[in-house]
Amino acid sequence: MIRVNLLQMEKVMELISNQRLQYLVFLGLSTGIAVLIGIVYASNHLLFQRFFGRINPLVAFLLIFFVGVILLSFLLSQGWFAIYERENLKGPVVIPVLQRYLG
Amino acid sequence: MILVDLKVVFPPDINVLFPESVLFYPAMGFFAEILFHVLPLSVLLFSLTSIFRNLSYENIVWICILIVALLEPIYHTIPMGSSNRYPLWAIVYVGLHVFLINLTQLLIFRRYDFISMYSFRLVYYLFWHIGWGYLRLRLLF
């Protein structure tokens, strides 16, 4: 049992080190979102009540963040979906279309 | 959606007021992406690929995307329907509209990545919740 868990842990660590940029981007985005939630909550704590009830929105965010990391890691490990791919920044739609018509 | 709002007039409190909306909606968009897209998509993909081993992955992904794209429209239209405040055509339109937005997002996720999918929602929120959310309170109320 312990050996299986260690093997799974090793796989997760390997995934994180292979896909370091994707995790860093998600961490960066999440940090930004946490800051936004903190500012809004400090200025008007009732705003989130409609969605989260009495739960502190920062606690709800932390939960969602961990769920997001786990599930995106699963999708990433299967090669099904990505968190962030640098080549998309170069213009996923516009550049191939321009290349086709202009060059 | 703006035309529907002009015709049936949604309640004044459907949007968070400006300027808080500029900070609030990017945060809520993140929650929406995880809860409406990443979570159900992962669970469905995991379940269906385990159950239907003879089906190709491409077919399973399409089935999952179509099912997941229905979740947010259902979430929005059930309260609309039960309130007895809106005509049926408005409920159907909102449902279809939100479904198409969700479907587009999931296709973006499939083709590109999570960040592109989230960016799409941000742009949509910028127009609907932030821009129109600010204007509608001056025009409709």
Side-chain angles (χ1 to χ4, degrees), chain B residues 2-74:
Chain B
I2 290 171
L3 291 176
V4 176
D5 194 15
L6 289 171
K7 180 76 180 162
V8 301
V9 185
F10 295 123
D13 62 347
I14 60 162
N15 292 309
V16 166
L17 296 178
F18 184 85
E20 283 163 327
S21 59
V22 176
L23 306 179
F24 180 81
Y25 285 109
M28 287 312 289
F30 184 82
F31 279 93
E33 290 310 340
I34 301 293
L35 290 175
F36 285 123
H37 291 157
V38 175
L39 175 64
L41 194 64
S42 306
V43 172
L44 264 178
L45 271 171
F46 177 73
S47 312
L48 295 187
T49 48
S50 309
I51 297 166
F52 302 106
R53 290 177 189 275
N54 52 339
L55 265 180
S56 75
Y57 166 69
E58 276 303 313
N59 289 339
I60 290 175
V61 166
W62 272 104
I63 293 165
C64 293
I65 282 177
L66 286 172
I67 295 171
V68 172
L70 284 167
L71 299 178
E72 200 177 348
I74 291 169

Side-chain angles (χ1 to χ4, degrees), chain A residues 54-97:
Chain A
R54 287 183 177 180
I55 300 169
N56 185 317
L58 284 167
V59 174
F61 169 74
L62 212 60
L63 186 73
I64 287 294
F65 167 74
F66 283 116
V67 169
V69 169
I70 293 165
L71 296 176
L72 286 168
S73 297
F74 165 68
L75 295 174
L76 202 59
S77 68
Q78 301 294 318
W80 290 339
F81 290 87
I83 300 170
Y84 165 75
E85 282 180 346
R86 188 180 287 214
E87 56 262 33
N88 292 337
L89 264 189
K90 292 172 187 164
V93 179
V94 178
I95 294 204
V97 172

